[in-house]
Each structure stands twice: as structure tokens, then as C-alpha cells.
Amino acid sequence: MKTIYNIAIDGPAGAGKSTIAREVARRLRFVYVDTGAMYRAIALYFSRKGMDLGDEKEISREVSRVEVSLAYDNGIQQVLLNGENVSSLIRTPQVGAAASVTSAYPAVREKLTQLQKELAKRENIIMDGRDIGTCVLPHADLKVYLTASAEVRAKRRYEELQEKGETADLASIEEEIKERDYRDMHREISPLTKAEDAVLVDTSSMTIEEVVECLMTLAEERGIRV
């Protein structure tokens, strides 16, 4: 019987979870699952409908109409919203803020968590998000809590927007990050928190390659190999 390995990476917005998880997945030849992208996709749907994101009852009724799935093109994850590839539309601060609100609702989490658990049973995966090690994959072979200071995360986001030619205010970005951290850590359902058996990795003063090497070492120590 094939041995299935699961790696869970949690942490706040802007800590580099997706970048790191994607590269570690490539080196291990694992499937990368960006759960944040799934929550962003479903939030995009609600936003497009002009729904009141603060109305949990309305959101919970509408969630049954939404289908979020993952596809892979040359190993790169594509996020499909009711069959539409929305991968390029879900990375705006607005969609991120909307996702932070709607992801707290039990009906939304239940719908996406089930899909994530099913994926983890079938494939060697690396999954990142806010509650992977604590709720989605509590028995993961390796759990990592990836973080960085709000100042560093804001600077990274600011530079990313600058490279895209978009105007941005560093102070505003940092404030948005702090507000999102508070919401994610204090929500009633599946709050962002470090699992007791997760390894804390602070990336504030680390390069991407250093973080990747750190996770590769942790994986090898736990017998997770290519």
C-alpha cells in the first residue's frame, strides 16, 4: 500500500507560506494545495454578487451554489470558480480582506475543508493556510508555523505591488495586515494558531532559499523523502 505524506504549513498573511510551500512541493514532487486561494475564490464569488459579507445567514445560504476546485497546468495550481479559472483575480487586497471575513463562517469552512481532506487522503501534499495543522490535517507528518513581523510582511507586500507598477502606501498595508491578523486569530471558528507540535519558523531575516532548505531538512528528519 502506498504511503501518503502530508505537510501542513500555517501562518499569518504575508509570511511567505505559498512561495515556500510551492517550492518545497516541487522539490519533493508533492502536490501543492493553496487553501487560501480556495477561500479567496469563494470570497470573490460573494463580492461579485454584491452580497453583504457581514450577513452570515445570506452567505451560508448562497455557499451551496459555489463550486471551487483545483487543477494543475504544468505543475502549477489553477483555481477554478464554478468552472472559471480565477487564479489571476484573487490576489488583490480587497479579495483577501473579503476572504478573511467569509472564511470565518462554518458553512464556508465546512465546504472547503471537506475537499481539502479528500485531497490529502489521495496524494502526497503540502497544504498551507490558517488552520491546516490544527483542524484540516491534525495528523500531518510535518507541521510548520511560518511567520514574520508585521513590518516585514508589509514591506514584502509593498515591494510586490511596486514591481507590478501599482501605487501603494506602506503604512496602510501594515495596518491592514495587523487588522487581518487580529481577525484571523480571534475568529470563533478555526482561529489562526500554532499547533502544539508545529515547528515555529520566523522568516523575518531569512531568504526564500534559507526557508526552503529549513523545511527540506525538517521533512528529511521525519522520513519524508522524494
Side-chain angles (χ1 to χ4, degrees):
M1 184 176 178
K2 179 185 176 182
T3 300
I4 300 297
Y5 293 111
N6 292 168
I7 298 176
I9 301 179
D10 289 308
K17 298 186 301 298
S18 297
T19 300
I20 300 305
R22 189 179 293 110
E23 177 58 20
V24 173
R26 186 188 70 80
R27 296 189 188 187
L28 289 175
R29 300 175 191 169
F30 279 20
V31 172
Y32 165 57
V33 181
D34 178 359
T35 63
M38 299 169 74
Y39 282 103
R40 283 170 175 264
I42 209 167
L44 176 63
Y45 173 88
F46 298 138
S47 297
R48 281 177 165 179
K49 296 276 288 187
M51 299 177 67
D52 178 1
L53 301 181
D55 189 335
E56 182 178 350
K57 289 185 178 180
E58 184 182 7
I59 294 294
S60 298
R61 284 195 299 268
E62 188 69 18
V63 75
S64 64
R65 301 175 183 271
V66 190
E67 287 301 328
V68 177
S69 58
L70 302 177
Y72 292 87
D73 182 11
N74 293 323
I76 299 175
Q77 177 183 270
Q78 306 296 321
V79 184
L80 307 180
L81 173 61
N82 290 340
E84 175 193 356
N85 190 331
V86 295
S87 302
S88 64
L89 305 176
I90 59 176
R91 295 300 176 185
T92 66
Q94 293 78 14
V95 173
S100 183
V101 174
T102 58
S103 65
Y105 299 145
V108 173
R109 302 202 70 80
E110 181 180 350
K111 186 177 185 71
L112 294 184
T113 296
Q114 186 57 40
L115 172 60
Q116 293 155 12
K117 285 179 177 288
E118 290 171 0
L119 283 169
K121 290 177 182 178
R122 299 194 304 265
E123 305 282 352
N124 291 326
I125 64 164
I126 293 181
M127 190 178 292
D128 75 77
R130 302 290 190 279
D131 63 346
I132 309 305
T134 53
C135 297
V136 183
L137 301 178
H139 303 297
D141 301 281
L142 170 62
K143 300 177 186 179
V144 176
Y145 189 87
L146 210 63
T147 190
S149 69
E151 181 182 2
V152 167
R153 287 183 282 141
K155 185 177 179 182
R156 289 173 181 170
R157 179 59 181 163
Y158 175 80
E159 291 174 348
E160 180 182 309
L161 292 172
Q162 290 285 94
E163 288 178 2
K164 293 180 179 179
E166 300 179 24
T167 57
D169 179 72
L170 183 58
S172 296
I173 293 174
E174 184 172 347
E175 186 60 31
E176 288 173 3
I177 284 176
K178 289 179 178 178
E179 289 176 358
R180 183 168 182 183
D181 284 352
Y182 184 86
R183 286 198 304 272
D184 289 346
M185 292 177 179
H186 291 81
R187 65 192 183 200
E188 185 175 348
I189 305 297
S190 301
L192 167 64
T193 186
K194 175 183 171 294
E196 289 186 4
D197 54 347
V199 179
L200 176 65
V201 178
D202 189 325
T203 71
S204 297
S205 60
M206 299 173 72
T207 65
I208 291 175
E209 180 60 26
E210 287 172 338
V211 181
V212 170
E213 287 296 334
C214 175
L215 266 64
M216 290 295 291
T217 298
L218 290 172
E220 185 173 356
E221 289 173 351
R222 284 158 178 75
I224 303 172
R225 296 180 175 86
V226 178

